[in-house]
């Protein structure tokens, strides 16, 4: 195995060990939160709503809740982990090592993606206690999960690079990520909105991820898969290039 692949595997393995070591903070809270969503929105409110776009409300919200958990945890993992490395000053050891920047970025992103996948799997398992899950389009389902987790891992990395204190880590999830998620069609169909709100929703990238995942699980979507995947791939390339550029320039990393 080449030295670069060994380094990549080492960083990713360290990230996974961190996730499992503090599983009470990384895996349990999202499981509890999503269980409450299923109970309150799915069982209590959903029983009164009935159907959404011709399918039961519980089935409708499952893809959105799973995707929401993946996005939040992929973002949160790398933003806190990389900022912790920067705060502890040991990121400088990586920057002066022979490791290329893509290895550093790839290792941390792999950790974020793996946490997103683990939490997503847990939430999907929990949803099976409330409804039956089928996957008519497994390739689209898996591709959406991987691309969505990668996008928000990269976004979390950018946040961590620019953050100067721990409070800065919470600003983006609180004021940007959470509103975009709730307004991304997790709990409702965009067809219910007035024209101006529907047009605004189509500017929300999370809307495309949620609908692509919903298509993978339910075979139904408010957007075309070509548009959704083109957008997700574009975000991966743009954020990946930005992350490599930030490492190359040492912005927010060297003092």
């Amino acid at each position: 195995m080449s030295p670069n692949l060994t380094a990549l595997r080492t960083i990713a393995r360290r990230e996974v060990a961190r996730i499992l070591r503090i599983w009470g903070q990384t895996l349990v809270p999202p499981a509890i939160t999503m269980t409450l969503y299923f109970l309150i929105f799915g069982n209590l409110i959903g029983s009164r709503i009935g159907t959404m776009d011709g399918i039961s409300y519980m089935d409708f919200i499952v893809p959105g809740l799973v995707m929401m958990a993946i996005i939040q945890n992929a973002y949160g993992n790398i933003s806190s982990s990389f900022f912790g490395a920067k705060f502890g000053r040991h990121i400088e050891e990586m920057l002066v090592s022979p490791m290329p920047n893509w290895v550093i970025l790839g290792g941390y992103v792999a950790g974020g993606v793996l946490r997103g996948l683990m939490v997503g799997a847990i939430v999907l398992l929990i949803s099976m206690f409330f409804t039956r899950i089928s996957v008519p389009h497994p390739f689209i389902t898996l591709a959406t999960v991987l691309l969505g987790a990668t996008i928000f891992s990269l976004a979390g990395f950018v946040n961590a690079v620019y953050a100067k204190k721990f409070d800065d880590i919470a600003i983006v999830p609180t004021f940007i990520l959470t509103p975009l998620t709730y307004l991304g069609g997790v709990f409702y169909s965009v067809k219910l909105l007035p024209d101006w709100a529907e047009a605004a929703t189509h500017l929300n990238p999370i809307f495309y991820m949620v609908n692509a995942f919903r298509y993978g699980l339910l075979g139904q979507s408010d957007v075309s898969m070509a548009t959704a995947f083109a957008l997700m791939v574009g975000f991966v390339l743009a954020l990946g290039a930005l992350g490599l550029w930030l490492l190359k320039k040492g912005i927010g990393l060297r003092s």
Side-chain angles (χ1 to χ4, degrees), residues 70-79 152-153 155-156 159 172-173 177:
I70 292 170
I71 288 171
Q72 291 176 343
N73 283 274
Y75 187 97
N77 188 80
I78 192 170
S79 61
F152 284 94
S153 291
N159 184 190
V172 173
L177 191 57

Side-chain angles (χ1 to χ4, degrees), residues 24-43:
Q25 302 175 39
T26 56
L27 302 179
V28 175
I32 295 174
T33 300
M34 293 305 159
T35 300
L36 293 174
Y37 276 124
F38 286 128
L39 286 171
I40 296 171
F41 287 94
N43 273 2

Side-chain angles (χ1 to χ4, degrees), residues 75 78-87 91 95 105 153-173 176 238-255:
Y75 187 97
I78 192 170
S79 61
S80 60
S81 179
F82 191 81
F83 181 78
K86 189 174 75 168
F87 184 79
I91 191 63
L95 294 175
L105 180 62
S153 291
L154 289 166
F157 175 83
V158 174
N159 184 190
V161 167
Y162 282 107
K164 295 182 179 179
K165 54 185 183 297
F166 280 102
D167 290 344
D168 295 339
I169 297 296
I171 291 176
V172 173
I176 299 177
L239 289 171
L242 176 59
L244 291 174
W245 181 78
L246 291 172
L247 284 173
K248 179 180 179 180
K249 296 295 184 180
I251 295 175
L253 303 174
R254 298 186 177 97
S255 56

Side-chain angles (χ1 to χ4, degrees), residues 149-201:
T150 300
I151 289 169
F152 284 94
S153 291
L154 289 166
F157 175 83
V158 174
N159 184 190
V161 167
Y162 282 107
K164 295 182 179 179
K165 54 185 183 297
F166 280 102
D167 290 344
D168 295 339
I169 297 296
I171 291 176
V172 173
T174 302
F175 295 103
I176 299 177
L177 191 57
T178 298
L180 287 178
T181 302
Y182 279 92
L183 297 174
V186 172
F187 298 104
Y188 57 86
S189 171
V190 70
K191 298 173 185 176
L192 299 176
L193 300 175
D195 292 341
W196 66 268
E198 183 176 350
T201 301

Side-chain angles (χ1 to χ4, degrees), residues 134-138 140-141 211-220 225:
S134 61
V135 186
H137 305 286
I140 289 178
T141 301
N211 272 274
F213 193 61
R214 183 171 287 134
Y215 182 81
L217 289 185
L218 303 176
Q220 184 169 318
M225 290 301 99

